[in-house]
Amino acid sequence: MERQTALGDEFVANPNIVSVERLTQGPNFGLTIVADSLESMAMGPLEFLAGLPGVTSIQTSASVAMHHGAHLWRLEHLDKGQIEALKSIHREMTAPDTSIVLGADTRPIVQMLQLDGRCSAADIARRLDLAPATARRRLDRVLRSEEIVLRTELAQSRSGWPVNVQWFARLPAGDHDRAAQRLAELNPRMIASVTGNSNLLITFWLRSLHDVLTVEQMVEQAVPTITIDHSAVLINALKRQGWVLNSDGSTTGEFVSS
C-alpha cells in the first residue's frame, strides 16, 4: 500500500499525466497522458513510468475518437426548459467556427482558461497587457474555434453520483458512431474509441454500486452488438485534468500539467 501511495504521488507530480485514478480491477492505476506524438509519448511519459520502482507492467491504449466528453454530462437538476435556455445563450455567445486555427497569440489565453475557465476578457487584458478590444477578439476566437472545451467540474463525492465505473467493450469499427449516439442518451461521462482488443471505453457516474448491473444492461440493450470485456470501479481520483485532488474529490488548488 505504501508503494502504491508513493507511485500515486509520482504520477500526480508528472505534468504529462493529466489524470490519475486508482481502480478496483486490472491495473492498479488508470492514467491519462497527453503527448504530441507516439514518439514523444514513448520517449517521455512511458519511459518515465518504466523506470519507476514498483511498476511491473504497463498497458497502453490510444484514444482515436472522442464521441462524448464530460462537458456533455448532466447533473440532472435542471428541467428541459432551463437546459434549452442555457443552450440558446451558449449558441448566441459562442457560435462555433471550425475554420478558425489558433495561433501563438492565443496560447497564453488557452493557458489562462486551463487555470480558470471563468476568466473574462478584462482579466485577460490585464494579465497579458492587451487592449480590451484585442483581448475580447482573441478570447472569442478561442471559444469559437472549439479546439478547447470548457466544463464545470465538481467533487464527485458531493455530486449525488459518487460511483465512477468504466466499461471496456468491443464493437466493429463501423458501429462506433451509431453506438455512441445511442449511448449518449444514457448520460455517460465519456465514450471514446480506443486502440486494443477492447476498442470502446465507456464511463458512467452512478448513484450507487447497485446501479452497475442496471446500467450495464441498459448499455447492452441500447447496442445489442456490443461485447463488454470487463469493467472497473474507480476507488478514488488523485488528479483530474491537471488539478490535484483531495480524498473527497475536491481540488487542492494545485495545478500540475504541461
Side-chain angles (χ1 to χ4, degrees), residues 102-123:
L102 299 182
D105 60 339
T106 58
R107 178 63 181 169
I109 295 175
V110 172
Q111 292 173 332
M112 286 184 66
L113 290 172
Q114 279 185 299
L115 292 171
D116 182 6
R118 296 183 178 90
C119 70
S120 65
D123 297 328

Side-chain angles (χ1 to χ4, degrees), residues 30-245:
L31 310 177
T32 302
I33 294 173
V34 174
D36 294 330
S37 65
L38 293 175
E39 181 182 6
S40 63
M41 182 168 71
M43 298 301 293
L46 292 185
E47 192 173 84
F48 161 77
L49 294 175
L52 288 177
V55 174
T56 58
S57 66
I58 301 171
Q59 302 172 16
T60 61
S61 291
S63 175
V64 295
M66 180 64 68
H67 302 284
H68 189 95
H71 64 292
L72 298 172
W73 180 76
R74 296 293 174 257
L75 195 58
E76 296 189 348
H77 281 306
L78 302 179
D79 60 37
K80 291 183 179 180
Q82 292 170 320
I83 292 172
E84 288 304 316
L86 287 174
K87 286 182 178 179
S88 176
I89 294 172
H90 174 73
R91 285 192 294 267
E92 291 175 7
M93 294 180 63
T94 57
D97 183 352
T98 54
S99 68
I100 294 175
V101 178
L102 299 182
D105 60 339
T106 58
R107 178 63 181 169
I109 295 175
V110 172
Q111 292 173 332
M112 286 184 66
L113 290 172
Q114 279 185 299
L115 292 171
D116 182 6
R118 296 183 178 90
C119 70
S120 65
D123 297 328
I124 292 169
R126 283 193 298 270
R127 181 77 62 83
L128 303 180
D129 195 23
L130 297 173
T134 301
R136 282 194 298 272
R137 185 170 61 253
R138 291 183 185 178
L139 176 59
D140 182 63
R141 283 179 59 81
V142 169
L143 296 177
R144 292 176 61 206
S145 72
E146 293 197 328
E147 288 194 23
I148 68 168
V149 173
L150 300 180
R151 78 185 196 217
T152 300
E153 194 59 271
L154 73 166
Q156 186 176 356
S157 64
R158 305 175 189 177
S159 69
W161 305 82
V163 179
N164 186 323
V165 185
Q166 301 173 359
W167 279 273
F168 301 82
R170 280 179 288 129
L171 268 178
D175 292 348
H176 281 216
D177 287 339
R178 184 167 57 253
Q181 291 175 3
R182 294 175 179 172
L183 293 174
E185 298 175 2
L186 304 179
N187 196 30
R189 282 283 292 186
M190 184 183 73
I191 306 170
S193 294
V194 297
T195 59
N197 293 329
S198 301
N199 61 8
L200 191 69
L201 174 60
I202 309 164
T203 300
F204 277 86
W205 282 13
L206 306 179
R207 298 285 190 189
S208 74
L209 281 172
H210 298 294
D211 296 327
V212 172
L213 285 180
T214 300
V215 172
E216 189 165 318
Q217 291 170 358
M218 292 170 64
V219 168
E220 292 173 335
Q221 290 169 2
V223 187
T225 56
I226 199 169
T227 299
I228 295 176
D229 291 328
H230 65 276
S231 61
V233 176
L234 182 142
I235 298 174
N236 67 310
L238 307 180
K239 184 180 182 182
R240 179 167 290 145
Q241 296 301 312
W243 290 99
V244 182
L245 303 181

